[in-house]
Amino acid sequence: MKALRSIAVIALALVIWEAVCRLAHVSPAILPPPTRVAGKWWEYLVTGELPRDAAATLLRVAVGFLIGGGLALPLGLWMGARDRVYDVFNPLVQLLRPIPPIAYIPLAILWFGLGNPPAFFLISLGAFFPVLMNTIAGVRTVDAIYVRAAQNLGAPGRTLFWRVLFPAAMPSILAGLRVGIGVAFIVVIVAEMIAVNNGLGYRILEAREYFWSDKILAGMITIGVIGLAIDTVMARINGRLLRWHRGLENA
């Protein structure tokens, strides 16, 4: 039922879009109707260009997310569990965190040139801070009752961390991973418009140069569908790993 309602809303939006374009005689160069966008999307698909671009984009997201998340997770656990480490690194983190990854584009190109390396760097930055901040928050907001109970039972520091702090912080950590991969997907589109010559972002920029509005929208819709698929997969992983956690989403 929930899926049917979602499909109905999308279908209604497409019908309204088509009606506006045709009844108001909107120029296709400004806003093509969805039927024309669908035709261009199909052409984009059957030529093999869409699968290649989507694969290139997903590869960059995967590599950048693994680098950024792989660095942020242990650092976040360390900072969350150790007050002294938190006090040392937190000022630097708070200084760098507000800087958007897009601001690093000139430096990324200067340091790494063109191609995948600057894209990986920018995507890693985009994924790093959401994972880091959520991990720190998750560890530092663990209920003190759990910690005191484990200490009263004689749990050593290593056991306390892995059996109490880490599981209790897992909902926040997984939320950070979900946000991080979403940000990584946003950053990859920007990076592909600047530093590489393939991928969905590059293809949208190319279409803009030739005023192919239908191809621009076809690329944008593809990005939305892939983003929805990634978020759905992450939500399912969260639900499976957090079966014991009765939040609103799992209720």
Side-chain angles (χ1 to χ4, degrees):
M1 184 62 68
K2 187 185 296 186
L4 290 177
R5 287 199 299 266
S6 299
I7 293 172
V9 170
I10 294 172
L12 177 61
L14 291 175
V15 169
I16 294 173
W17 176 7
E18 183 80 23
V20 168
C21 290
R22 295 191 179 279
L23 296 178
H25 303 289
V26 179
S27 170
I30 298 175
L31 181 65
T35 49
R36 179 164 176 168
V37 174
K40 178 58 70 172
W41 186 89
W42 179 252
E43 177 186 329
Y44 190 16
L45 176 66
V46 297
T47 60
E49 196 174 51
L50 175 59
R52 289 193 299 270
D53 286 336
T57 296
L58 288 172
L59 174 64
R60 294 183 184 109
V61 169
V63 173
F65 178 72
L66 288 174
I67 295 172
L71 293 173
L73 184 58
L75 179 59
L77 292 171
W78 193 31
M79 290 178 64
R82 296 284 185 268
D83 288 338
R84 186 173 298 176
V85 177
Y86 179 84
D87 293 338
V88 169
F89 285 100
N90 187 57
L92 179 61
V93 169
Q94 298 305 327
L95 176 67
L96 297 176
R97 184 171 64 90
I99 304 174
I102 298 172
Y104 288 91
I105 287 176
L107 288 177
I109 295 175
L110 181 64
W111 292 342
F112 302 105
L114 299 177
N116 283 327
F120 293 154
F121 172 73
L122 295 169
I123 297 162
S124 300
L125 279 176
F128 179 82
F129 287 104
V131 177
L132 177 69
M133 299 309 298
N134 276 57
T135 302
I136 293 172
V139 175
R140 292 181 68 84
T141 56
V142 171
D143 196 325
I145 294 176
Y146 301 152
V147 177
R148 286 198 294 267
Q151 290 172 338
N152 290 337
L153 292 171
R158 185 180 296 272
T159 302
L160 177 65
F161 179 81
W162 289 111
R163 301 296 296 273
V164 178
L165 292 177
F166 185 71
M170 185 60 69
S172 183
I173 292 172
L174 290 176
L177 292 173
R178 188 173 175 181
V179 173
I181 197 167
V183 175
F185 198 72
I186 293 171
V187 174
V188 70
I189 301 303
V190 178
E192 287 177 343
M193 290 182 174
I194 303 298
V196 298
N197 59 1
N198 62 2
L200 295 171
Y202 170 80
R203 205 62 62 188
I204 289 173
L205 187 66
E206 179 189 58
R208 189 207 67 176
E209 297 293 331
Y210 293 97
F211 299 99
W212 294 336
S213 299
D214 49 359
K215 192 169 185 178
I216 293 173
L217 288 168
M220 291 170 61
I221 291 170
T222 303
I223 291 168
V225 170
I226 294 175
L228 175 62
I230 291 174
D231 187 72
T232 301
V233 170
M234 292 297 294
R236 290 185 177 275
I237 292 173
N238 285 13
R240 183 172 294 274
L241 293 177
L242 299 177
R243 284 174 292 184
W244 54 272
H245 184 256
R246 302 302 297 177
L248 288 176
E249 192 169 335
N250 301 84

